[in-house]
């Protein structure tokens, strides 16, 4: 029976599944940081006065006005996003990484890792955009006056209402900047993680264990944060925008960036850096640690003799 189970289990299918489960597990821990990051990026939009002075001010304001449950607003959308986006991107990345690994075990070089990461990220982003739109809207809702809130009860309610009220294409609103962000994030995150892990192992001071995975993930998270924030703020504002007199607030991602620089200053493109890294760093750490442990368990349990 055990042997039959091993034969029925597709390693590729398992890699897709593990990627999504790892991302969902990490999201449970970092969802509050995602909410703060989104609120910070929307603060001051349209040349309005900034609602939050700092990340800590944002956290205090959310807890004071929306309660402890408010800090986990949009969790269902965050979980669905990971189930779609992360499952696809990590599954594709792992499969392509193995495909381009030489017969003697030599891994792909840095540029090939980056190319694999960009391909995996763009594909995953397209699949995950509907959940991403729901996540942005749900996490942003609490900052609006009560009469202007969308009031989605969960991610599925959000998807159904967006389709019914605004048309099915709304589910892919901001798809281009979302895919652009994913290309940047995955080129930076996946490639820098693999490269950092390889560097740490080659140094002779680390073994292939959780400490190594943690250090490589934190390095990867810092590189990714710095590289992807401008694209992320464009994505966030487009997905949350409303129609004004029948016209959208922003024409495209470049229009968002231009308006942010003009009205809020150049460094506002990195607005919310602290919660973004505080969210991305641990999420990267937890995702890769969960993924590494699940892969190890799978190899030991299913693939060992």
């Amino acid at each position: 029976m055990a042997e039959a189970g091993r034969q029925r289990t597709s390693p590729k299918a398992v890699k897709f599944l593990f990627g999504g489960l790892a991302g969902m597990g990490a999201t449970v821990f970092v969802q509050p940081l995602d909410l703060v990051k989104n609120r910070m990026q929307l603060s001051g939009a349209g040349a309005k006065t900034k609602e939050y002075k700092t990340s800590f001010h944002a956290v205090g304001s959310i807890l004071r006005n929306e309660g402890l449950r408010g800090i986990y607003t949009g969790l269902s959308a965050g979980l669905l996003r990971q189930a779609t986006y992360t499952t696809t991107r990590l599954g594709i990345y792992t499969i392509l990484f193995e495909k381009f690994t030489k017969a003697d075990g030599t891994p792909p070089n840095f540029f090939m890792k980056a190319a694999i990461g960009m391909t995996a990220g763009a594909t995953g982003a397209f699949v995950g955009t509907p959940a991403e739109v729901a996540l942005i809207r749900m996490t942003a809702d609490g900052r609006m006056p009560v009469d202007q809130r969308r009031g989605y009860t969960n991610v599925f309610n959000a998807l159904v209402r967006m389709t019914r009220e605004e048309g099915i294409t709304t589910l892919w609103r901001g798809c281009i900047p979302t895919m652009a962000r994913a290309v940047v994030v995955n080129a930076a995150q996946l490639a820098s993680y693999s490269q950092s892990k390889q560097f740490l192992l080659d140094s002779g001071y680390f073994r292939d264990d959780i400490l190594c995975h943690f250090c490589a993930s934190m390095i990867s998270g810092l590189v990714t944060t710095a590289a992807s924030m401008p694209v992320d703020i464009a994505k966030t504002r487009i997905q949350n925008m409303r129609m004004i007199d029948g016209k959208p607030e922003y024409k495209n991602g470049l229009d968002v960036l231009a308006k942010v620089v003009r009205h809020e200053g150049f460094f506002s493109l990195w607005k919310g850096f602290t919660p973004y890294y505080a969210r991305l760093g641990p999420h990267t750490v937890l995702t890769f640690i969960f993924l590494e442990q699940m892969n190890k368990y799978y190899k030991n349990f299913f693939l060992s003799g």
Side-chain angles (χ1 to χ4, degrees):
M1 288 293 291
E3 186 65 32
R6 290 172 192 161
Q7 292 176 353
R8 287 196 301 270
T9 303
S10 167
K12 292 186 178 181
V14 169
K15 290 180 189 304
F16 274 79
L17 176 63
F18 280 0
L21 290 176
M24 292 172 75
T27 293
V28 172
F29 293 92
V30 303
Q31 176 64 21
L33 296 170
D34 213 14
L35 181 141
V36 173
K37 184 267 295 183
N38 290 339
R39 294 283 183 91
M40 289 289 289
Q41 290 185 333
L42 293 168
S43 177
K48 296 177 182 177
T49 303
K50 292 182 180 179
E51 299 161 79
Y52 310 114
K53 298 175 183 178
T54 65
S55 302
F56 295 107
H57 178 229
V59 171
S61 177
I62 293 168
L63 288 173
R64 186 169 56 253
N65 298 324
E66 302 169 49
L68 190 59
R69 290 183 61 184
I71 207 75
Y72 265 94
T73 299
L75 178 60
S76 62
L79 292 174
L80 181 61
R81 177 181 180 274
Q82 295 301 323
T84 52
Y85 167 65
T86 303
T87 296
T88 304
R89 77 179 178 105
L90 286 181
I92 289 177
Y93 182 83
T94 303
I95 289 168
L96 291 179
F97 188 91
E98 290 182 355
K99 182 178 179 63
F100 287 98
T101 296
K102 295 180 181 178
D104 62 0
T106 303
N109 61 37
F110 179 82
F111 296 103
M112 180 57 72
K113 289 174 186 172
I116 293 172
M118 289 188 283
T119 301
T123 307
F126 180 81
V127 174
T129 294
E132 180 88 27
V133 176
L135 175 64
I136 295 300
R137 292 186 172 198
M138 291 176 74
T139 54
D141 217 28
R143 61 187 284 272
M144 303 296 292
V146 176
D147 62 329
Q148 295 181 27
R149 293 179 184 176
R150 294 181 170 104
Y152 301 136
T153 54
N154 56 60
V155 64
F156 299 108
N157 174 254
L159 297 176
V160 169
R161 281 185 51 193
M162 280 191 283
T163 302
R164 186 172 63 241
E165 297 168 10
E166 303 172 58
I168 194 168
T169 55
T170 303
L171 299 182
W172 277 271
R173 176 176 289 174
C175 182
I176 299 302
T178 301
M179 293 176 70
R181 172 192 175 277
V183 167
V184 174
V185 165
N186 286 277
Q189 185 186 64
L190 295 172
S192 62
Y193 175 79
S194 296
Q195 200 71 14
S196 299
K197 180 182 172 184
Q198 189 174 323
F199 173 79
L200 293 173
L201 291 174
D202 290 344
S203 72
Y205 294 103
F206 290 85
R207 293 179 297 173
D208 191 0
D209 55 17
I210 289 181
L211 176 61
C212 177
H213 305 159
F214 174 82
C215 293
S217 296
M218 291 304 292
I219 295 170
S220 173
L222 185 62
V223 171
T224 305
T225 298
S228 66
M229 279 210 72
V231 188
D232 191 69
I233 196 170
K235 173 199 72 67
T236 298
R237 293 201 178 182
I238 285 178
Q239 290 177 331
N240 189 60
M241 71 180 179
R242 295 177 179 271
M243 304 297 286
I244 300 175
D245 297 327
K247 297 181 180 180
E249 290 182 69
Y250 305 106
K251 298 175 184 177
N252 50 50
L254 292 177
D255 185 43
V256 174
L257 298 180
K259 287 180 177 177
V260 169
V261 171
R262 184 165 64 248
H263 297 301
E264 303 168 49
F266 177 74
F267 289 103
S268 289
L269 295 177
W270 284 270
K271 183 187 296 182
F273 185 95
T274 301
Y276 189 91
Y277 178 63
R279 179 260 182 206
L280 188 62
H283 193 277
T284 304
V285 170
L286 292 168
T287 297
F288 281 117
I289 285 177
F290 288 157
L291 185 60
E292 296 271 11
Q293 296 307 307
M294 284 189 284
N295 280 333
K296 184 180 295 186
Y297 175 80
Y298 174 73
K299 288 176 184 176
N300 292 339
F301 188 80
F302 289 98
L303 302 182
S304 62

